[in-house]
Amino acid sequence: MSEMQALHLSKEDFEERILPAQTALVDFWASWCGPCRAVGPIVDRLAEQYDGKAVVGKVNIDEEMELAQQYGVSTIPSLLFFQNGKVVNTLVGARSEGEYQQALNELLS
Protein backbone atom coordinates (compact mmCIF):
# COMPACT_ATOMS: atom_id res chain seq x y z
CA MET A 1 0.00 0.00 0.00
CA SER A 2 1.48 3.34 -0.99
CA GLU A 3 1.48 6.31 1.31
CA MET A 4 -1.25 8.82 0.80
CA GLN A 5 -0.22 12.17 -0.52
CA ALA A 6 -1.83 15.57 -0.40
CA LEU A 7 -3.91 16.43 -3.45
CA HIS A 8 -2.10 18.44 -6.13
CA LEU A 9 -4.70 21.15 -6.73
CA SER A 10 -5.53 23.13 -9.83
CA LYS A 11 -8.08 25.95 -9.67
CA GLU A 12 -10.84 23.53 -10.76
CA ASP A 13 -9.82 20.88 -8.19
CA PHE A 14 -9.69 23.59 -5.55
CA GLU A 15 -13.28 24.64 -6.24
CA GLU A 16 -14.48 21.01 -6.35
CA ARG A 17 -12.58 19.59 -3.36
CA ILE A 18 -11.63 22.40 -0.95
CA LEU A 19 -14.54 24.84 -1.02
CA PRO A 20 -17.30 22.25 -0.34
CA ALA A 21 -15.24 20.48 2.35
CA GLN A 22 -16.21 20.97 5.96
CA THR A 23 -12.52 21.12 6.92
CA ALA A 24 -9.53 21.51 4.61
CA LEU A 25 -5.85 22.42 4.69
CA VAL A 26 -4.06 23.84 1.66
CA ASP A 27 -0.30 24.27 1.39
CA PHE A 28 0.68 27.10 -1.00
CA TRP A 29 4.24 26.31 -2.13
CA ALA A 30 6.78 26.45 -4.97
CA SER A 31 9.49 24.03 -6.06
CA TRP A 32 12.25 26.66 -5.71
CA CYS A 33 11.34 27.42 -2.07
CA GLY A 34 13.59 25.60 0.46
CA PRO A 35 11.23 25.85 3.46
CA CYS A 36 8.39 24.62 1.20
CA ARG A 37 10.37 21.46 0.45
CA ALA A 38 10.75 20.90 4.21
CA VAL A 39 7.01 21.32 4.80
CA GLY A 40 5.93 19.14 1.84
CA PRO A 41 6.48 15.73 3.51
CA ILE A 42 4.68 16.99 6.65
CA VAL A 43 1.66 17.96 4.55
CA ASP A 44 1.67 14.50 2.93
CA ARG A 45 1.70 12.88 6.41
CA LEU A 46 -1.19 15.13 7.48
CA ALA A 47 -3.13 13.98 4.39
CA GLU A 48 -2.72 10.41 5.62
CA GLN A 49 -3.42 11.16 9.30
CA TYR A 50 -6.57 13.17 8.58
CA ASP A 51 -7.92 11.03 5.74
CA GLY A 52 -11.71 11.03 6.06
CA LYS A 53 -11.66 13.98 8.48
CA ALA A 54 -10.14 16.80 6.43
CA VAL A 55 -9.20 17.41 2.80
CA VAL A 56 -5.46 18.15 2.48
CA GLY A 57 -4.01 19.65 -0.68
CA LYS A 58 -1.15 21.61 -2.17
CA VAL A 59 -1.17 24.51 -4.61
CA ASN A 60 1.99 25.23 -6.61
CA ILE A 61 1.91 29.04 -6.83
CA ASP A 62 3.94 29.04 -10.05
CA GLU A 63 1.20 26.99 -11.74
CA GLU A 64 -1.78 28.58 -9.97
CA MET A 65 -0.85 32.25 -9.45
CA GLU A 66 -4.49 33.28 -9.62
CA LEU A 67 -5.37 31.15 -6.58
CA ALA A 68 -2.42 32.50 -4.64
CA GLN A 69 -3.52 36.07 -5.42
CA GLN A 70 -7.15 35.29 -4.63
CA TYR A 71 -6.16 34.16 -1.13
CA GLY A 72 -3.56 36.89 -0.58
CA VAL A 73 -0.62 34.50 -0.42
CA SER A 74 2.55 36.59 -0.67
CA THR A 75 4.92 34.52 1.47
CA ILE A 76 5.46 30.78 1.12
CA PRO A 77 5.02 28.29 2.49
CA SER A 78 1.58 29.45 3.58
CA LEU A 79 -0.81 26.86 4.95
CA LEU A 80 -4.43 27.96 4.85
CA PHE A 81 -7.07 26.22 6.93
CA PHE A 82 -10.59 26.25 5.53
CA GLN A 83 -13.91 25.55 7.14
CA ASN A 84 -16.96 25.38 4.90
CA GLY A 85 -15.14 27.22 2.10
CA LYS A 86 -13.80 30.08 4.23
CA VAL A 87 -10.24 30.65 5.43
CA VAL A 88 -10.29 30.44 9.22
CA ASN A 89 -6.57 30.23 9.96
CA THR A 90 -3.24 30.76 8.19
CA LEU A 91 0.22 29.59 9.23
CA VAL A 92 3.04 31.27 7.30
CA GLY A 93 6.56 29.88 7.12
CA ALA A 94 7.82 26.41 7.99
CA ARG A 95 6.28 25.17 11.23
CA SER A 96 6.38 21.90 13.13
CA GLU A 97 4.07 19.03 12.30
CA GLY A 98 2.57 19.47 15.79
CA GLU A 99 1.54 23.07 15.07
CA TYR A 100 -0.31 22.01 11.93
CA GLN A 101 -1.95 19.11 13.79
CA GLN A 102 -3.04 21.42 16.59
CA ALA A 103 -4.61 23.87 14.11
CA LEU A 104 -6.46 21.03 12.35
CA ASN A 105 -7.59 19.45 15.62
CA GLU A 106 -9.04 22.79 16.75
CA LEU A 107 -11.15 22.92 13.58
CA LEU A 108 -12.28 19.32 13.97
CA SER A 109 -13.22 19.58 17.64
Side-chain angles (χ1 to χ4, degrees):
M1 193 173 93
S2 69
E3 255 185 54
M4 239 192 101
Q5 286 196 314
L7 301 167
H8 185 83
L9 300 167
S10 67
K11 187 170 175 31
E12 293 73 33
D13 298 330
F14 192 91
E15 287 167 2
E16 284 172 19
R17 302 295 301 270
I18 301 302
L19 299 182
Q22 190 172 348
T23 305
L25 165 63
V26 180
D27 173 19
F28 284 83
W29 70 286
S31 58
W32 45 263
C33 159
C36 297
R37 288 197 299 271
V39 169
I42 293 174
V43 174
D44 287 333
R45 283 197 297 275
L46 293 172
E48 194 166 15
Q49 287 167 14
Y50 290 89
D51 185 32
K53 297 184 205 129
V55 178
V56 178
K58 297 179 182 185
V59 172
N60 182 327
I61 64 160
D62 290 332
E63 295 169 10
E64 300 293 339
M65 268 180 167
E66 205 177 306
L67 270 177
Q69 289 171 337
Q70 185 179 338
Y71 287 97
V73 173
S74 56
T75 305
I76 54 172
S78 279
L79 277 76
L80 278 60
F81 296 81
F82 289 81
Q83 208 149 32
N84 302 315
K86 294 187 175 25
V87 177
V88 293
N89 192 2
T90 303
L91 294 176
V92 178
R95 306 283 185 97
S96 72
E97 189 164 344
E99 277 186 83
Y100 299 132
Q101 288 168 329
Q102 185 181 349
L104 272 169
N105 291 338
E106 282 170 17
L107 295 183
L108 293 167
S109 62

